[in-house]
Amino acid sequence: MSRRDGLVVAMDGPAGVGKSTVGGLVAKAMGYRFINTGEMYRALTWKALEEGVDLDDHDAVLALAKRLRWEFKPIDGVALKTFLDGTPVTSQIREERVSVNSSRVAANPGVRKMLSRLQRELGERGAIVMEGRDITTHVFPDADVKIYLDASPEERASRRYRQLKSAGQPADRAEILAAILKRDLNDLKREINPLKQAPDALVIDSTRLSMKAVAGMILRRVRREAKNGRR
Ligand code: DC
C-alpha cells in the first residue's frame, strides 16, 4: 500500500526484546518517526492508578481514556511521546507499578479499539516505524514491512539484568526472568489481539545478534521495499 510520506514499518515481539532500540535506529536512518505503542497503554495505566480508577473496571477505564486529550509529539526528532492533557508522561510510565499493571489495561477491549484507532491515525501518512504486540496483525495488517522480533526469555532477562547493573541499580536475574515469563504469558494468552506472528512477517531471532545488526537487516528490507514502491 502506498502512503503519502513513506512506508509503514510494523514491528511486534515480546517484552524486552529490543523493539524500541531497533525501531528507533531504523526510523532515524530512514528519516521516519518512531512510536512505541506500549507507552500508550502504560500512560493510561499510570493515569488510572493516579486517579484511583479500578483497572479491572473496563467501562471506568475506557471512560477515563475518552476524557483525556491524547497528543503525540516528537521530543528527540524521531520518537513520538505521549502527552495527556498537555503533559508529557515519560518517566512516570516506567514506574514498577505501571509495568506490573499495564496488562490489565491492555486486556480492555474498548481501550484496545480506541488506541488502535489513534495508532492508525498516526500511521496513515506513512513514514513511520511502529512497534507493539498487535501492530502487524491488527493495527496495520497491510503494513509495507512487517517484522516479528524474537529472543529467548533467558537472553531478554540477561539484557535487562546487565542494563540495571550498569545503571547501578539492584537486580536479581531469577526475578527478572520470572517477570519476563509472566509478561509473555499475559501477551500470548490475551483474549483480544494477543501477540502472534503474522504469516507474512520477517521473523528475526536476535538472541545472538546485536541491536545494530538487527537494525541493519530490517533497513535492507525497508530500503528494498521503498525502491520497489517507486517503480
Ligand atoms: O511494550 P510494553 O511492555 O511497554 O507494553 C506495555 C503493555 O501494553 C504490556 O502489557 C503489553 C501491552 N501492549 C499491547 O497490548 N499492545 C501493544 N500494541 C503494545 C503494548
Side-chain angles (χ1 to χ4, degrees), residues 37 54 56 59 100 120 131 138 143-145 171 213 217-218 227:
T37 59
D54 175 1
D56 297 317
D59 292 340
V100 171
R120 287 191 191 107
E131 66 99 328
H138 173 69
D144 303 282
V145 176
M217 289 165 77
I218 298 173
K227 210 164 119 195

Side-chain angles (χ1 to χ4, degrees), residues 202-216:
L202 169 66
V203 180
I204 302 177
D205 183 339
S206 77
T207 304
R208 288 185 180 75
L209 296 172
S210 69
M211 295 293 125
K212 218 172 135 199
V214 175

Side-chain angles (χ1 to χ4, degrees), residues 153-154 156 176-186:
E154 291 75 17
R156 287 183 278 137
I176 296 172
L177 179 60
I180 283 198
L181 291 172
K182 186 162 182 280
R183 291 179 72 185
D184 281 1
L185 204 67
N186 281 335

Side-chain angles (χ1 to χ4, degrees), residues 1-3 6-10 126 140 142-146 221 225:
M1 147 150 321
S2 72
R3 294 177 176 87
L7 304 184
V8 170
V9 181
F140 280 108
D142 61 347
D144 303 282
V145 176
K146 296 191 198 181
R221 173 67 68 106
E225 201 55 46

